[in-house]
């Protein structure tokens, strides 16, 4: 079993705590951590950008001019992409970027992160946060201690 010191508000150690090896004693799996972080960041994307195609633009029900005899290029509608006020050809459309990750994979990633933090000694346990008054100065002094 891994042990970690319990720290008081003044920075002194009070005792120690036994940690579960099933959570804090595994080899960190970086590929699983990457997968979960990627899924989380993709879910933050809104994906609400959108443009109108030639079918969504209003108007353009009939041919603008006849097919032959005008000397101009043939046109089917005034809302085609090459016409002013027409639709956009390959513009962005609303997309859901979220990726689904299995629950067991998320739990393994959390255990991997906690094990890695403990191995790098970046994890501390604090007895209690008893501030007399909630202030930034008191929090900074606690962090320095």
């Amino acid at each position: 079993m891994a042990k970690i010191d319990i720290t008081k508000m003044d920075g002194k150690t009070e005792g120690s705590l036994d940690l579960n090896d099933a959570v804090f004693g595994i080899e960190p799996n970086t590929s699983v951590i990457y997968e979960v972080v990627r899924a989380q960041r993709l879910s933050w994307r809104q994906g609400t950008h959108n443009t109108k195609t030639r079918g969504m633009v209003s108007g353009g029900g009939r041919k603008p001019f006849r097919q032959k005899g005008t000397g101009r290029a043939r046109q089917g509608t005034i809302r085609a992409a090459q016409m002013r006020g027409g639709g956009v050809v390959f513009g962005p459309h609303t997309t859901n970027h979220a990726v689904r990750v299995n629950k067991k994979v998320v739990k393994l990633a959390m255990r991997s992160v906690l094990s890695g933090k403990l191995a790098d000694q970046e994890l501390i346990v604090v007895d209690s946060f008893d501030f007399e008054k909630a202030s930034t100065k008191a929090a900074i002094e606690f962090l320095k201690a």
Side-chain angles (χ1 to χ4, degrees):
M1 283 231 155
K3 287 187 175 265
I4 191 167
D5 292 332
I6 298 174
T7 309
K8 293 177 84 174
M9 284 274 295
D10 56 2
K12 296 176 185 160
T13 57
E14 187 178 68
S16 64
L17 184 70
D18 291 330
L19 300 176
N20 190 352
D21 281 339
V23 176
F24 292 95
I26 65 170
E27 180 73 28
N29 190 337
T30 54
S31 63
V32 168
I33 294 170
Y34 167 77
E35 189 178 335
V36 172
V37 170
R38 179 176 173 269
Q40 188 177 27
R41 292 190 62 188
L42 283 173
S43 71
W44 292 340
R45 291 183 68 177
Q46 272 192 313
T48 55
H49 45 276
N50 204 2
T51 55
K52 292 184 177 180
T53 61
R54 60 180 283 175
M56 298 173 190
V57 178
S58 64
R62 63 176 179 83
K63 262 176 97 62
F65 45 84
R66 59 199 186 101
Q67 183 89 348
K68 294 172 126 357
T70 60
R72 300 178 65 188
R74 55 193 179 187
Q75 301 293 330
T77 175
I78 60 167
R79 294 307 180 208
Q82 72 272 16
M83 303 291 252
R84 186 176 176 281
V88 179
V89 182
F90 296 118
H93 291 289
T94 304
T95 311
N96 182 11
H97 299 284
V99 175
R100 196 177 144 337
V101 181
N102 294 335
K103 291 178 187 175
K104 289 182 180 180
V105 174
V106 172
K107 289 178 183 177
L108 175 62
M110 185 59 116
R111 291 196 315 262
S112 296
V113 168
L114 289 172
S115 295
K117 290 286 184 187
L118 184 68
D120 296 339
Q121 295 170 353
E122 295 177 355
L123 197 65
I124 61 169
V125 176
V126 180
D127 180 31
S128 64
F129 292 103
D130 295 327
F131 291 110
E132 296 171 13
K133 190 175 92 175
S135 68
T136 306
K137 189 181 287 186
I140 289 172
E141 287 192 20
F142 162 70
L143 289 173
K144 284 182 180 176

